[in-house]
């Protein structure tokens, strides 16, 4: 009898963390999240960021393939590193924020790559153009919240970002590295 | 070297007022490359100045004027050092690293910081305005020596003159 009680106690204490693990992270905390980018100007890397965006996210580490994520980035909140640059990229040749105020990402399928690594396929829409993108991301649980980190490269020409005299890549390169860190709490 | 400095001054003031365009970014890079080159050359020039003392000023010059001349020259050398230095620090603080001729990255001395960057931009500009004023004084003084005092100060700056002696 005593042995049975111990066995039960052990098994339940083992099961507990498992139960705790089936937790869904779905409250994005924008103040602990960031969307940055790096572009190259005459071969020199320059960092920028977007300060305003919103995101919906559902992620259960036990069921990663059912995860869903979407992002809406307010393009006018761009920081290119120079105020002159911020005004410039809001304009018509770049984002044309008057007509296309937001960039949107919507996830499709999610693959677990093993460990804490995942691969999110989705669609990115900027300036009226939509492209398929594959976004690698890692997930780290931190207390009651989870942190998603990742980066991927887009080509600005695919979205007609930087037209006219900016269309050539000798001054501002085509590749733009997007880096994100999203913190989401569980309910 | 004087040509390089005049070029940098002219390019600096000109590019600052341009609307943002690929050409402007290109000019900024060229300005930074040339500015760093000037910075290196100034050290060579200073080495030369220290190892080759210039002939003494003519004793006909009043003491006060001699002092003013020395102070003016000290300012010129000082500005030739601090102006490119302020440009370099400004670029660091603004987060636009300088890569010399697009090949050699110059380390960023400062953390990226908008306020510091803008402050340094003002410093770089004010120092340049001062530089222009001192150069104008320098040229004015040299011309005065030549045409009013009619001494050989201006001529002795020319290399051909030196070799005669
Ligand atoms: C002796 C060397 C230099 C001279 C005479 C010089 C002169 C000037 C002048 C006259 C301006 C325009 C000031 C204004 O209207 O704001 C300027 C702007 C500038 N300089 Fe220099 N400069 C020198 C070296 C450098 C160096 C070494 C760098 C960077 C590595 C640099 C970076 C800049 C930048 C980024 C600006 C633009 C500031 C702005 O208007 O946004 N300069 N320079």
């Amino acid at each position: 009898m005593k042995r049975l009680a111990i066995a039960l106690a052990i098994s339940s204490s083992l099961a507990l963390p498992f139960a705790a693990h089936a937790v869904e992270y779905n409250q994005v905390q924008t103040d602990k999240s960031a969307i940055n980018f790096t572009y190259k100007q005459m071969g020199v890397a320059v960092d920028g960021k977007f300060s305003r965006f919103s995101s919906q996210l559902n992620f259960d580490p036990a069921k990663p393939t059912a995860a869903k994520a979407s992002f809406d980035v307010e393009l006018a909140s761009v920081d290119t590193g120079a105020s002159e640059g911020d005004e410039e990229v809001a304009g018509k040749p770049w984002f044309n924020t008057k007509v296309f105020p937001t960039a949107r990402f919507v996830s499709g399928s999610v693959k677990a790559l093993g460990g804490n690594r995942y691969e999110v396929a989705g669609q990115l829409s900027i300036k009226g153009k939509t492209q398929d993108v594959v976004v690698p991301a890692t997930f780290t649980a931190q207390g009651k919240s989870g942190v998603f980190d990742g980066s991927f490269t887009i080509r600005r020409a695919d979205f007609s970002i930087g037209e006219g005299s900016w269309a050539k890549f000798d001054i501002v390169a085509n590749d733009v590295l997007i880096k994100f860190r999203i913190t989401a709490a569980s309910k | 070297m004087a040509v390089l400095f005049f070029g940098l001054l002219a390019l600096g003031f000109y590019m600052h007022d341009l609307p943002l365009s690929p050409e402007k970014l290109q000019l900024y890079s060229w300005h930074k490359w040339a500015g760093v080159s000037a910075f290196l050359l100034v050290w060579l020039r200073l080495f030369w100045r220290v190892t080759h003392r210039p002939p003494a000023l003519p004793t006909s010059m009043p003491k006060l004027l001699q002092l003013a001349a020395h102070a003016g020259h000290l300012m010129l050398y000082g500005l030739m050092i601090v102006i490119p230095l302020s440009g370099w620090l400004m670029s660091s603080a603004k987060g636009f690293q300088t890569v010399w001729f697009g090949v050699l990255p110059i380390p960023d001395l400062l953390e990226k910081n908008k306020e510091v960057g803008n402050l340094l931009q003002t410093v770089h500009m004010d120092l340049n305005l001062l530089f222009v004023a001192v150069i104008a004084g320098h040229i004015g003084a040299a011309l005065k020596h030549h045409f009013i005092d009619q001494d050989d100060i201006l001529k002795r700056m020319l290399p051909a003159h030196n070799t005669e002696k």
Side-chain angles (χ1 to χ4, degrees):
Chain A
M1 196 52 196
K2 207 178 166 190
R3 274 199 189 157
L4 185 65
I6 291 170
L8 275 176
I10 289 173
S11 70
S12 62
S13 69
L14 278 178
L16 254 177
F18 265 95
H21 216 245
V23 61
E24 192 186 65
Y25 299 92
N26 50 19
Q27 306 283 307
V28 174
Q29 298 169 310
T30 33
D31 55 324
K32 288 184 197 149
S33 305
I35 298 182
N36 299 321
F37 57 88
T38 302
Y39 64 101
K40 280 201 164 174
Q41 184 179 303
M42 289 188 75
V44 181
V46 183
D47 294 322
K49 63 169 185 273
F50 292 101
S51 50
R52 288 194 298 276
F53 53 89
S54 60
S55 169
Q56 260 85 51
L57 190 144
N58 302 81
F59 179 79
D60 177 349
K63 285 179 290 182
T65 50
K68 276 191 173 38
S70 69
F71 292 90
D72 286 285
V73 180
E74 196 177 320
L75 293 173
S77 75
V78 70
D79 177 355
T80 56
S83 50
E84 199 180 22
D86 303 346
E87 281 164 36
E88 172 68 25
V89 297
K92 242 182 167 169
W94 296 90
F95 290 140
N96 195 2
T97 54
K98 281 214 184 77
V99 184
F100 306 103
T102 48
R104 188 168 168 75
F105 172 82
V106 181
S107 71
S109 64
V110 178
K111 259 197 283 186
L113 299 180
N116 65 342
R117 296 183 309 120
Y118 301 92
E119 198 175 80
V120 185
Q123 291 193 312
L124 181 63
S125 309
I126 310 174
K127 212 181 178 183
K129 296 198 163 55
T130 299
Q131 295 274 332
D132 289 323
V133 290
V134 174
V135 182
T138 60
F139 168 80
T140 322
Q142 279 183 2
K144 292 203 82 161
S145 37
V147 180
F148 301 86
D149 281 301
S151 64
F152 60 105
T153 302
I154 64 165
R155 287 188 299 257
R156 64 183 179 90
D158 291 348
F159 301 93
S160 310
I161 301 169
E163 295 177 75
S165 61
W166 295 104
K168 284 206 295 180
F169 307 127
D170 52 350
I171 305 289
V172 180
N174 195 9
D175 283 356
V176 180
L177 178 71
I178 317 255
K179 285 174 288 190
F180 59 88
R181 155 161 288 201
I182 307 296
T183 304
S186 56
K187 254 204 186 133
Chain B
M1 205 155 136
V3 175
L4 181 59
F5 275 93
F6 280 119
L8 274 164
L9 281 166
L11 178 58
F13 286 123
Y14 170 70
M15 70 182 191
H16 173 78
D17 291 330
L18 285 178
L20 189 56
S21 66
E23 290 71 36
K24 176 169 179 157
L25 296 182
Q26 176 115 57
L27 291 180
Y28 267 50
S29 288
W30 286 347
H31 175 83
K32 288 162 69 167
W33 299 348
V36 171
S37 312
F39 185 60
L40 296 175
L41 289 173
V42 168
W43 292 107
L44 278 183
R45 175 67 185 89
L46 273 181
F47 178 72
W48 184 264
R49 172 67 178 72
V50 170
T51 51
H52 300 72
R53 310 240 37 203
L57 291 171
T59 41
S60 61
M61 265 176 85
K63 269 264 136 46
L64 200 66
L65 255 185
Q66 294 203 13
L67 211 70
H70 285 311
H73 293 145
L74 204 67
M75 284 251 269
L76 281 176
Y77 283 119
L79 286 168
M80 285 192 284
I81 302 278
V82 289
I83 287 175
L85 198 62
S86 66
W88 176 13
L89 291 173
M90 160 185 24
S91 296
S92 303
K94 285 180 174 245
F96 291 86
Q97 198 189 10
T98 307
V99 180
W100 202 28
F101 296 109
V103 181
L104 188 73
I106 316 276
D108 280 337
L109 293 186
L110 293 177
E111 286 279 299
K112 187 170 170 177
N113 180 320
K114 263 220 170 94
E115 284 84 62
V116 175
N118 288 337
L119 178 75
L120 283 165
Q121 184 179 337
T122 317
V123 169
H124 191 65
M125 186 166 84
D126 289 348
L127 287 174
N128 271 300
L129 293 176
L130 183 65
F131 193 36
V132 170
V134 181
I135 291 176
H138 177 68
I139 293 176
L143 291 178
K144 172 181 173 290
H145 278 293
H146 193 64
F147 290 110
I148 299 178
D149 303 340
Q150 309 205 326
D151 54 25
D152 67 346
I153 290 278
L154 182 60
K155 273 193 269 166
R156 85 176 201 196
M157 293 187 202
L158 306 173
H161 187 80
N162 279 345
T163 47
E164 281 171 26
K165 282 208 165 163

